[in-house]
Structures are given as structure tokens and as C-alpha cells.
Amino acid sequence: VHLREGRIIPYQTFNESQTTFELAERYSINLLIYPDEYLDAEGTVYVDRNGLDYHEVYENLFEYYKITYNDRKIRVVLMDGDDNDGRPDMNQFITNVTIIDAGIYNDTNFACMFNENMESEEIGFEYNPDKKILNLFSKPDGSSMILKTLKNIQFGNNNTDQNFCNPKYFVSNVEYVISEPFAEKKVNVQLKPNFKGLYPVNATFTLIKDNLINADFHLQKDIKEFEIPSAVLNSTLYPVNATYAKTNISSYLTLPNKDEEFYFEIHTKDKPSDVFYSTKGQHFVYSEYYKAMGSKVDTKKLFGLGERVSDFWLTAGTYTVWNRAGDQIVDNGEPPGKNLYSSHPVYFAQRQSTSDFFAVYHHNSGPQDFVLEPGQNGYEINTVTTTGRTNLFFLISDKISNVVKNYYELVGKPALQPEWAFGWHQSRYGYNSTQALREVYDGYKSKNFPLDAIWSDVDYQDDFRDFTVDKVNYKALKEFVSEIKSNGTRYVPIIGAGISAGDSDAYFEGMKQDVFIKSFNDRSEPIYGRSTPGECVFVDFLMEKSYSFWDQQLNTLFSLVEFDGVWLDMNEVSSYCDGYCYFDQKVLHPIDSKLFYWPGGRDLEDRTIILDAVHNGDTFEIDTHNAYGLLQSHATSKWFTKKGQRPFIISRSTFAGSGKYSGHWTGDNKAEYEMLKYSINSIFEFNFFGIPFTGADICGFNGNTTAMLCSVWYKLAAIYPFARNHGNFDTIPQEPFREMFNETVDYGNNKKGYDVMRMAFYIRYGLHVYTYTQFHKASTDGVPVFKPLFFNYPEDINAYDQIALNVLIGDSIKSSTDSDVFPRNRYYFPEPGATWCPIWESLYTQCFTGGSFQSISVPVSEVLLHLKSGTIVPLQLTDSTKFVNITNVNNLDDLAKNYKTDLAVLLNGDKKATGDVRFDGGVTTDLTLYDEIKFSAVTGSPFFSNPYMDISFNVTSQKSTGQMTASQQLGDVIIYNADDFGFVDASFGTIQMK
């Protein structure tokens, strides 16, 4: 029996014949490793309980591991299966690892293994000079090597090899900058490792503002570490060329003295004992392909680290940040990672002793894992990265609203979409002709349903090629789009990241201009992937000249059809090949084999291009991968602004800072109530990430929806920032005018799906002036729109529970959501002393007092939206009994032309209320050009006369260049809870003009 080089095989040893069950139950395994000429090897191990029962496979009760070896490093990754019963059989235990032909390892003097938290422990080793083999094994008094918890094994010689087992870094120099502009605002620290195989490190700490610290680490050795493009962050803050701080960095930062072991602590200003982030006594290692930083974080609750489908609050587990196209599976922190299309390496953490939060942002666009483990005083968070720099931003402890505003300033405040984008959108993969689009458009009109934009998936393209239009099936598309646009409905086509190779004008022009990502093996050739059009290539947006190429291609498409927005898809980037499609583009000694650790516990090249693909400046895909969608959005945004248009871009892949250029949809969800519920958490998170214009596919993309599910989904979509119905080609049509919705969904109130959807359509429209004002503030002031209760009520412990049931839209409106059929939920109404009254009265007309829980069974035909006392809110379509009779509102343009804005007034206990509204015409690219009117109301009750109310209007900005519409005219003033203030029977009003 011979073992082929480059292979790893498992085997068991026993004295007599055994059954498969006995082998699994009683006998451990050994690993035999035979490295190839590049010192690489790989193999797989499959284990289950007895090797007999099919249900073990069907129910995922197995583990399938991939084991790789690269010169002194062994990596164990769970690729599939999830047997989490906590009872590993003996076939999960590794007794011995044998490396053959191991003569170069005869000087080994250390060996260790790493557990699931990347904590190291020494293991035994023995070199046999006669057989030239190296054996690795658990120490008698140490932990066992168990596949389920084993991440890595490393061995070598301390004097020549990098030792990640338990390195120590000591401070060789500390230098506070004393010259302006960074005098006492910046400190440089030099670190020297205790092992000769590791390189010295420089760490620079800068107080950029009094609430923002940057900690930037890089190797002293001449090794190139990728620097993320400036398009990602706010250019006034990063790169760090100036400081806006008034205090000294020592007011927030504690460092050790020279020759002491390195650590750093971030604390409250001038309170060194009030530490909220500390690396003291934690694991730290910094090398070219493996970086780990352990920290103790003073927190009781934390959220962030997107994108994933999950509960809002993060719990113990491993959370991966790496853009990946994949199925939407709920992520509970167990490997392998269920990370999705976007990467947002930031977490927001609440202090243990106060209601304040702080945030930590990791400015790295490569793969990362955040390992969360509850500790005695908060959480221990171990951050593991591969290449690039460790570049951290600490947003100092404060109220959550200030911390989020600080983050918005760091990554850049979000773009404001054109006003029509806040309406209703319709899409489907399968609209295969212009006639199909017309039927959808006419279908909406036939049921008097408003439609603001109709979208095309790849069906409109000529053989799925970007920047083309199918001349046969989509003839007269240009004329159709011109027609619907004249009636107020816009058109948005898809553009995939992969440009069809060999058979498209865009490909030939891109080859001529040399703008594609390159193959490592032949840098005169592009790297090839595979996507919807087949073989494809990808634009390298790190090249400046790629932007002019992208402009040209968008101009080409615009000459074929005058689109109003762009839908960027598959831009993680996504490829149907894992890594390489052609053998000649396989790298013999790839970056992947040099990685000590795989974030996510899965192949990083799964459904994407090879990590060694070359970008401009000899930069590799592993470093730039997570930023691709942002850079593509940036290039697309610049095309719109050059045309003098406010950009409308929806991108599947996003990164920190993407909100400056695009909105986001949460990808290929499923037609399931669970996905409906989780969409709320996703939209919450993206509001915190600085991408408030986010939504999920209404009714679900994959799988057949039902009349009931779709009706409930539309109720929630009435408050989605971005509301688009989108379904897959192999599902039943789910446009709201379809006959399937002529089905009764609320038997108690005799309401059909049509009725529920019509209600949702007009409630969204009724809120539009208010919500558009909130999004304008998000773009100018850095204030999220779609918020959990604790954002406004951080001191209220009840605001942290049942996150998805209670949504604040701005500061004045609360939505009590339901994501099931006839649910009875326990909703919370915050702020003791406040009153919350239903905006559109239907079955529930009761006002609720603040600080109370209300158990409500929500009928399918009811949307629970409440107005908070002390506020004045601009509304339209305020009489819900007239929804069924509306025939003159086909889109938001019609709404603005035909309906004035009413004011909803709900006084507080002091008999006062305030509010505001903004108008800017909906299209200007200069967000300073807007009108703002602030309202205030006060009432009195003189002893000898009737009660009165004075409402004042104060114009605080009058710069809008937009056209005057009916929506800017005052309609009715609606006083809620009026009988409590004596406004009944013979009430009247007068208007006085200045």
C-alpha cells in the first residue's frame, strides 16, 4: 500500500475484527500526512455515530472535515454536518498525527494545538531519525485532540519558524508625538516578539476626535500590507492627516512601559480604571498571513458583525465577516459560518454598569472571524484575520445615538435616494419580454395598485450579457420605459458583476483598456469565473481607468434604455466555480495554503474567484474581496452624479461605507414566516451600519408564497425603507394583482389579500412625507430611521427585549409588527407618562400609556402604527375608510400632485407638541437645498372660556429648487385624543399668515 504525496489519510488501529459501530464508539483515529514538494497536503475525514443509519445523513448528524497541511501548520475545518449532541464518539479523537518524509523537521522544539476559540495548548512531539517521521500527540496531562474542537496544529523551531502557540510581544519603545498637529494626540509603539521567527510590529494610536481613536498595526519587516481604498471611509477622518481632538490621547489610552509585555486599554476619559476594551493578558500575534487579537470587552449586550440572518443580539459563538453568495440559513454562531453577501466588521456593545454603548470597527476588507465567549466581566472577543492590516477604530462610550452618529461620520453619511424610490417596486426573475413587463404594469393599474418602479432581472439582456438588450424579446423596451416614465413609473435593470467573456462588446473593450482582474499565473490574462452568462470576467475597480470604462458601458446601456436606477447583483463577487474554472489558472502554491486559519470554517473560494487573483498594484483578491461591491457602487454612483442625477443604486454586496453610494436588499430569502421575521433584524442592523435604505424581497424570493404569507409580508413592507416584491423564475407569480390574492385571508373581518395589500400600499404612502423627512435627516444629520426601541430609550430595560416586535420610525411613530398568522404578541410601549395613539383607526382604537405592555392579537387586516404624544407628524391619506375608493394615485408623483399634507397632532402631558417636515423636490444632488418647516403646538384652558390650541409654523430653511406640489400645502389638522383636552363638538380654527 502506497500513499500519494500531497495527501492526508485517517486510519484506525485495533487488534481484532470490529463492527463499524464498534469502530466509531471505541477507537480513535490517527492521521498520516505526506507533504508534496511545496510542503502541502490535504485530505478529508467523515465521521458519524455508527456508519449505518441513513437518518444520520438526512438529519445532518455527521461531521465532514477537510484537513490541510502547509509547512508546519495543520488546519482542520468542518465543511458539512452539525452533530451537536455534545457527545463525541471515539472516532472524533485523534491519538497521533504522523508526518512522513519529515527530515527537514528534525530540529522541532515546539508544538501546540488550537481550540475553537483559537486558544493554544502545548502537545507532545517526537522525531524518529531512522524513519524520518515526526509524530504529534496529546500530552498525558493535557487536553485531547478532538476533531470537533480542533482548529489548528502548529510545530517548528522557535529560532527559525513563526510560533503562534503562545507568543509574547514586549514594548521596545514608546514615543508620544510632541509636534503639531498631533502633539499629545498620537503615540507610536514598537513591539518586539519573544520568538525569533516572528517579526517586530509597529502600533500607532491616534486620537482623531475626542470620541474616536484609531489603532493601526503593521509589520516592521518590508512586507506589503493592503491598504483599503479611500472611497470606503470619510476622507476627512481617514487617512489620518489631521486631528480634531481637544484633549490628549492619554486621557483615553493606557499603555505599558518600555520592556513590559504589550497590551493596550481604552477607557472613559480621565478614568483609567473604567476600562471598556482591554488586551491585557490576552492572546496577540501578528504575522503576514495570521493575526489574532484577544480582548476583554466590558459589555452585557452587543450586536453587529453583518451580514447574516440571525437574532439581533449576538451570543457566544464564532461570527464570520466575508462576502459570500449562499443560502440564507440562520446563523447561531456554530461553524461553519453562515455569513452572507456583505461585510460589516463592526460591533456595538453596551456597558455592563450603564446604558451607554461603544463600538469597535475593524478596517480590514479580508476574511475575519470574531469569536465571542462570555467571561466573568463581560465578553472575551478574539478577532482572527488573515492578510491586510489590523486597523481598529474605537468609538468612545456614549449614548447609543451618539455612537451611531459617530460611526456614520466615520464611514460617511448615507446617500439619499430619489424620492420615487421610497414607493413600491415590482421585480421578478422571469419577465422574459417587454410584453411581460407591460402585463405587470397593466395588472397593477387594473387593481388600482400604485407602482413606482418596475425592475428587470437578467431576462432583458441579450444572452445574459451586461450592457445589452435582447432585441427580439425586448424590442420596444425603450419606448415602453419612456411611456411608463411619463406616467410616473420608473425602470431599474440588473447589472451582474460578471461580464460575458469572448462574446460581448464590453469584454472586448475591457480587454482593450486592460481593466479586468488578472490571473496570477499569467498577468496578461483576466481571471475567469462563471456566472449567468457563462464564462465571465470582472472589472478591477482598484484601477482608476476602470471608472471611465464603467462610464462608457453605462452610457451604452442608457442609449438602449433610459433607466432610472441600477441593480448591482452577484458582486461579492460570485462565481459558479470555486476558485478557478480552468486548470491553467490554478496556482501551484496558493495563498490559501499559506493561511493558518480559515475564517468561517469553510473554503474561502466557495462560490467566488481564486484568492490569488491579481488586482491593480499587485493586490490580491483575498484583501479586496469584501470591498468589491462598495467600489462597484462607487463607480456607478459617480456615473449618476456626472449626469446631474441623484443616484439610485441597490447592491447585494456592501461593505462599511457603502451607504454613501447605494442601498441594499438582503438577498435571496425564502417565502417563509421565519425569514419575514428575521428581515426586521437585518434592516435594524443595516440602519446602524450606515445603509438605512434596506429592504427584503417581499413575499420571499425562493419557494412558493401563499396569499396569507404575502399579505402579512406586505403589512410589514409598509414600513420597510426599501419595498420591492421579487420572486424567482420557478415560483408562482406573486404580484399583488394576481388572482391568488382574491382569497379571504382575514375571515373574522371578511378581508381578502387584495384588501390587505391595498391597505399596506396606502399606509406606506400616507407615511411618505414623514419617512422621507427622516431619511433626509439620516443623510444630512447622521440619524438612523428604522430603529429598535432602545435607541431612543436606552435607560428602559424593557426596550431591549422582543426587538423585532417594536420598531421606531424616526422618533414619533411606533410600529408593532406581526410576522405570523393571527399572532398574539406582547408589545411594549415605552416612555412612562407618554401616550401612544393609533394613527389609522380600525379595530384597535385605544390609546396606550407609555411604560406598559399590551397583549394584542393582531388580525391579518390590521397594521398597528402608533403616534407618540408630544409630536406633530405630517401625513397623507389619513382617512383609511377611503382607501378602497382611491383611483388617482398610481405612484408617489400622483400622491404629491393630488394630496395635501395633513398634520397629526398628539399633545403630551404638558399640552405641547412639536414636529417638522422637509421638502427638496426629491431629485437634487445638493442636499443643502431643502425647505424645512418646524411645527409647535400649545394648548390652554382658561378658567372662564373654552380651551384653545395655537400651532405655529417656523420656516427654518427655504432653499428647495423643487417644483411646488399639493403635498407642500396644508390639508387638515387632526388632533388625536382630542376629548382629553376638551376639543369636542363646536371646535373651530383660524389661520394667521405672517
Side-chain angles (χ1 to χ4, degrees):
V1 178
H2 293 80
L3 177 62
R4 183 178 177 179
E5 68 172 4
R7 297 293 185 265
I8 300 174
I9 63 169
Y11 67 95
Q12 291 173 290
T13 57
F14 48 90
N15 296 325
E16 57 186 42
S17 178
Q18 305 288 330
T19 65
T20 55
F21 177 79
E22 290 169 330
L23 285 174
E25 185 73 20
R26 302 177 185 175
Y27 292 92
S28 61
I29 64 172
N30 303 284
L31 297 179
L32 190 61
I33 300 176
Y34 184 11
D36 63 14
E37 61 180 311
Y38 300 102
L39 302 179
D40 292 335
E42 66 177 42
T44 57
V45 179
Y46 173 92
V47 294
D48 60 26
R49 296 180 184 178
N50 58 26
L52 296 173
D53 297 333
Y54 175 73
H55 83 90
E56 292 186 355
V57 176
Y58 183 76
E59 297 179 8
N60 229 31
L61 300 176
F62 65 90
E63 291 91 40
Y64 178 66
Y65 297 93
K66 182 176 182 179
I67 302 177
T68 58
Y69 174 85
N70 171 255
D71 191 18
R72 301 173 176 85
K73 299 183 291 290
I74 301 169
R75 188 174 62 196
V76 181
V77 177
L78 176 65
M79 301 295 289
D80 199 3
D82 190 23
D83 186 2
N84 282 320
D85 67 348
R87 183 181 58 85
D89 295 317
M90 282 303 297
N91 64 0
Q92 280 266 359
F93 288 77
I94 301 174
T95 298
N96 191 79
V97 178
T98 301
I99 302 170
I100 62 177
D101 194 20
I104 62 173
Y105 305 137
N106 62 356
D107 61 347
T108 295
N109 63 12
F110 77 87
C112 67
M113 63 178 180
F114 292 78
N115 65 14
E116 64 269 35
N117 296 324
M118 291 306 291
E119 299 165 336
S120 64
E121 180 180 334
E122 290 186 359
I123 59 174
F125 57 90
E126 182 180 43
Y127 177 73
N128 186 322
D130 296 328
K131 296 182 179 181
K132 294 185 178 180
I133 62 174
L134 178 69
N135 289 305
L136 306 170
F137 45 85
S138 298
K139 288 187 173 183
D141 58 346
S143 302
S144 300
M145 290 190 286
I146 306 174
L147 283 170
K148 203 169 193 175
T149 58
L150 180 64
K151 287 289 187 182
N152 299 85
I153 295 175
Q154 188 192 27
F155 64 90
N157 185 286
N158 280 324
N159 295 316
T160 57
D161 301 322
Q162 293 188 337
N163 183 347
F164 304 150
C165 294
N166 191 23
K168 305 290 183 184
Y169 288 77
F170 294 89
V171 176
S172 59
N173 190 42
V174 179
E175 181 182 1
Y176 283 86
V177 175
I178 58 175
S179 58
E180 296 296 343
F182 292 102
E184 302 300 329
K185 308 294 191 295
K186 178 185 288 189
V187 56
N188 298 308
V189 184
Q190 295 180 349
L191 314 179
K192 185 178 180 180
N194 61 335
F195 298 141
K196 293 182 179 179
L198 292 171
Y199 303 132
V201 176
N202 285 334
T204 300
F205 297 85
T206 307
L207 184 65
I208 301 175
K209 301 187 300 177
D210 286 328
N211 56 4
L212 181 65
I213 294 176
N214 175 233
D216 190 6
F217 293 77
H218 56 92
L219 294 168
Q220 291 183 24
K221 187 175 176 61
D222 187 21
I223 293 176
K224 181 181 178 182
E225 294 177 276
F226 176 65
E227 179 69 25
I228 296 177
S230 59
V232 173
L233 298 184
N234 179 350
S235 59
T236 64
L237 297 178
Y238 192 86
V240 183
N241 297 316
T243 177
Y244 306 92
K246 296 179 181 179
T247 54
N248 296 335
I249 192 169
S250 56
S251 295
Y252 299 95
L253 176 69
T254 298
L255 293 169
N257 297 317
K258 185 179 177 180
D259 298 328
E260 292 181 347
E261 185 176 349
F262 172 71
Y263 70 90
F264 69 94
E265 293 182 330
I266 309 293
H267 54 76
T268 302
K269 180 182 176 183
D270 296 328
K271 295 181 179 180
S273 62
D274 189 20
V275 176
F276 55 85
Y277 185 97
S278 173
T279 65
K280 194 171 188 177
Q282 299 295 299
H283 184 64
F284 176 77
V285 62
Y286 199 96
S287 69
E288 184 176 5
Y289 295 107
Y290 174 67
K291 303 169 182 68
M293 179 182 289
S295 60
K296 290 182 178 179
V297 178
D298 175 43
T299 182
K300 53 189 173 186
K301 289 180 180 292
L302 67 163
F303 65 90
L305 303 179
E307 177 180 15
R308 66 196 75 254
V309 176
S310 68
D311 292 332
F312 182 79
W313 299 113
L314 297 173
T315 55
T318 300
Y319 298 94
T320 303
V321 175
W322 178 247
N323 291 358
R324 185 178 69 87
D327 298 328
Q328 293 202 358
I329 301 172
V330 177
D331 193 343
N332 59 1
E334 294 289 339
K338 289 86 174 175
N339 46 297
L340 288 168
Y341 319 101
S342 300
S343 289
H344 293 273
V346 58
Y347 60 84
F348 299 83
Q350 187 181 39
R351 303 291 302 275
Q352 292 191 93
S353 58
T354 73
S355 62
D356 284 351
F357 280 74
F358 64 93
V360 182
Y361 165 61
H362 288 246
H363 191 51
N364 185 303
S365 55
Q368 303 179 67
D369 264 357
F370 293 80
V371 184
L372 277 57
E373 186 176 12
Q376 290 184 344
N377 296 300
Y379 271 81
E380 293 184 359
I381 300 180
N382 189 19
T383 307
V384 185
T385 60
T386 54
T387 57
R389 291 163 72 166
T390 295
N391 194 354
L392 309 178
F393 289 84
F394 296 92
L395 290 75
I396 302 299
S397 176
D398 202 342
K399 292 181 179 179
I400 181 63
S401 56
N402 291 334
V403 174
V404 173
K405 187 173 184 178
N406 195 7
Y407 185 69
Y408 271 37
E409 291 177 357
L410 174 62
V411 300
K413 294 171 186 172
L416 180 64
Q417 282 68 29
E419 191 162 359
W420 60 264
F422 292 87
W424 292 99
H425 302 251
Q426 180 61 58
S427 178
R428 179 176 172 83
Y429 183 13
Y431 293 155
N432 56 13
S433 66
T434 303
Q435 181 58 31
L437 293 180
R438 180 171 292 280
E439 289 173 0
V440 172
Y441 179 70
D442 291 342
Y444 267 82
K445 292 184 71 175
S446 71
K447 289 292 189 293
N448 286 320
F449 288 150
L451 180 61
D452 292 277
I454 191 166
W455 296 48
S456 282
D457 209 311
V458 293
D459 314 271
Y460 82 97
Q461 298 171 338
D462 182 13
D463 204 18
F464 305 123
R465 292 176 292 195
D466 282 344
F467 313 112
T468 67
V469 173
D470 183 339
K471 296 178 181 178
V472 177
N473 296 310
Y474 272 86
K475 61 183 179 182
L477 175 63
K478 188 172 186 177
E479 292 75 14
F480 169 72
V481 169
S482 178
E483 174 193 337
I484 64 173
K485 191 182 300 187
S486 67
N487 295 322
T489 299
R490 273 71 173 186
Y491 177 69
V492 182
I494 196 172
I495 298 177
I499 292 177
S500 183
D503 63 352
S504 69
D505 292 343
Y507 170 76
F508 293 121
E509 184 62 29
M511 290 294 289
K512 179 181 176 181
Q513 297 187 31
D514 189 30
V515 295
F516 298 132
I517 302 172
K518 301 295 191 298
S519 165
F520 179 88
N521 293 339
D522 182 355
R523 301 192 185 193
S524 67
E525 291 290 323
I527 190 74
Y528 291 101
R530 193 170 299 279
S531 191
T532 313
E535 183 181 276
C536 59
V537 293
F538 306 92
V539 177
D540 180 4
F541 289 104
L542 288 183
M543 292 184 181
E544 186 175 346
K545 62 183 177 180
S546 69
Y547 279 62
S548 61
F549 165 79
W550 195 249
D551 276 359
Q552 295 166 15
Q553 302 313 309
L554 289 172
N555 286 334
T556 297
L557 181 58
F558 193 77
S559 70
L560 299 173
V561 56
E562 295 187 0
F563 54 86
D564 301 281
V566 168
W567 172 15
L568 299 176
D569 193 16
M570 308 286 279
N571 55 345
E572 291 75 28
V573 296
S574 179
S575 173
Y576 299 152
C577 304
D578 292 344
Y580 59 90
C581 294
Y582 298 101
F583 191 77
D584 64 351
Q585 294 197 327
K586 178 182 180 181
V587 178
L588 291 179
H589 190 46
I591 290 174
D592 179 73
S593 68
K594 301 173 186 177
L595 302 181
F596 182 58
Y597 178 85
W598 260 3
R602 64 166 72 241
D603 188 348
L604 294 174
E605 295 175 344
D606 179 36
R607 307 190 199 190
T608 191
I609 60 177
I610 193 168
L611 300 179
D612 305 84
V614 182
H615 293 253
N616 186 49
D618 286 332
T619 299
F620 297 111
E621 172 68 14
I622 187 173
D623 290 312
T624 68
H625 177 85
N626 287 344
Y628 191 90
L630 176 144
L631 295 174
Q632 187 188 38
S633 297
H634 181 220
T636 308
S637 177
K638 293 187 77 170
W639 179 83
F640 277 104
T641 54
K642 283 180 183 178
K643 290 173 65 67
Q645 290 181 236
R646 186 184 295 182
F648 177 62
I649 303 163
I650 294 295
S651 177
R652 188 167 80 169
S653 177
T654 66
F655 187 63
S658 280
K660 297 190 296 294
Y661 314 117
S662 76
H664 174 63
W665 100 101
T666 60
D668 298 346
N669 61 0
K670 301 173 186 175
E672 297 174 356
Y673 285 101
E674 182 182 46
M675 291 296 114
L676 167 61
K677 176 182 177 181
Y678 279 115
S679 72
I680 302 171
N681 293 337
S682 296
I683 297 172
F684 277 150
E685 288 193 335
F686 275 89
N687 268 259
F688 287 119
F689 295 154
I691 311 177
F693 195 77
T694 296
D697 285 343
I698 300 169
C699 302
F701 177 75
N702 284 316
N704 289 327
T705 192
T706 64
M708 184 72 76
L709 171 60
C710 206
S711 297
V712 174
W713 212 313
Y714 262 93
K715 292 200 310 175
L716 181 60
I719 64 166
Y720 274 2
F722 169 50
R724 183 187 68 166
N725 181 324
H726 182 47
N728 207 349
F729 71 94
D730 58 353
T731 63
I732 60 174
Q734 59 192 35
E735 297 84 1
F737 59 80
R738 297 293 179 183
E739 183 61 27
M740 69 178 291
F741 301 116
N742 194 25
E743 172 186 314
T744 301
V745 294
D746 186 345
Y747 289 94
N749 299 293
N750 194 28
K751 299 292 185 181
K752 296 180 178 181
Y754 291 146
D755 302 320
V756 176
M757 291 176 175
R758 178 170 285 105
M759 172 190 62
F761 280 129
Y762 293 133
I763 283 179
R764 181 177 183 85
Y765 273 20
L767 293 172
H768 170 71
V769 173
Y770 172 76
T771 54
Y772 185 75
T773 297
Q774 307 313 307
F775 275 93
H776 196 282
K777 291 179 181 179
S779 298
T780 60
D781 304 341
V783 181
V785 178
F786 192 99
K787 304 175 291 188
L789 293 181
F790 71 82
F791 186 89
N792 282 43
Y793 303 98
E795 302 288 347
D796 190 338
I797 60 173
N798 295 316
Y800 295 87
D801 297 328
Q802 300 295 329
I803 291 291
L805 288 179
N806 302 284
V807 177
L808 285 176
I809 305 166
D811 297 332
S812 304
I813 294 177
K814 176 186 179 295
S815 172
S816 301
T817 66
D818 56 295
S819 54
D820 209 336
V821 182
F822 292 107
R824 175 169 286 277
N825 290 314
R826 194 163 180 255
Y827 298 106
Y828 182 64
F829 291 82
E831 192 172 333
T835 303
W836 297 85
C837 292
I839 297 175
W840 281 275
E841 292 186 355
S842 183
L843 299 178
Y844 288 95
T845 61
Q846 178 184 357
C847 296
F848 298 125
T849 58
S852 68
F853 287 93
Q854 303 294 331
S855 182
I856 303 173
S857 180
V858 184
V860 175
S861 59
E862 182 88 359
V863 175
L864 293 183
L865 290 166
H866 287 80
L867 178 67
K868 191 186 82 166
S869 59
T871 61
I872 302 175
V873 170
L875 297 173
Q876 292 168 292
L877 308 179
T878 49
D879 188 350
S880 60
T881 64
K882 296 180 180 179
F883 285 175
V884 69
N885 299 319
I886 295 175
T887 60
N888 61 344
V889 179
N890 295 313
N891 44 63
L892 284 175
D893 287 358
D894 287 345
L895 181 70
K897 293 174 186 175
N898 299 323
Y899 285 86
K900 297 179 181 180
T901 296
D902 301 332
L903 292 185
V905 182
L906 179 57
L907 299 170
N908 60 18
D910 294 329
K911 300 181 180 181
K912 296 179 181 180
T914 58
D916 57 18
V917 67
R918 291 182 179 182
F919 299 100
D920 69 350
V923 294
T924 179
T925 57
D926 185 348
L927 298 188
T928 66
L929 302 179
Y930 65 91
D931 294 342
E932 182 179 65
I933 303 100
K934 291 184 179 293
F935 320 114
S936 62
V938 61
T939 185
S941 301
F943 190 74
F944 292 108
S945 62
N946 294 323
Y948 66 90
M949 177 185 293
D950 286 336
I951 303 176
S952 62
F953 298 76
N954 183 21
V955 179
T956 55
S957 176
Q958 196 170 4
K959 299 179 181 179
S960 174
T961 58
Q963 184 179 358
M964 177 67 72
T965 63
S967 64
Q968 291 165 266
Q969 299 175 28
L970 180 63
D972 296 337
V973 175
I974 306 167
I975 302 172
Y976 285 75
N977 223 19
D979 55 345
D980 281 7
F981 300 98
F983 297 108
V984 293
D985 300 328
S987 296
F988 67 94
T990 60
I991 297 178
Q992 286 186 327
M993 303 292 291
K994 289 186 178 179

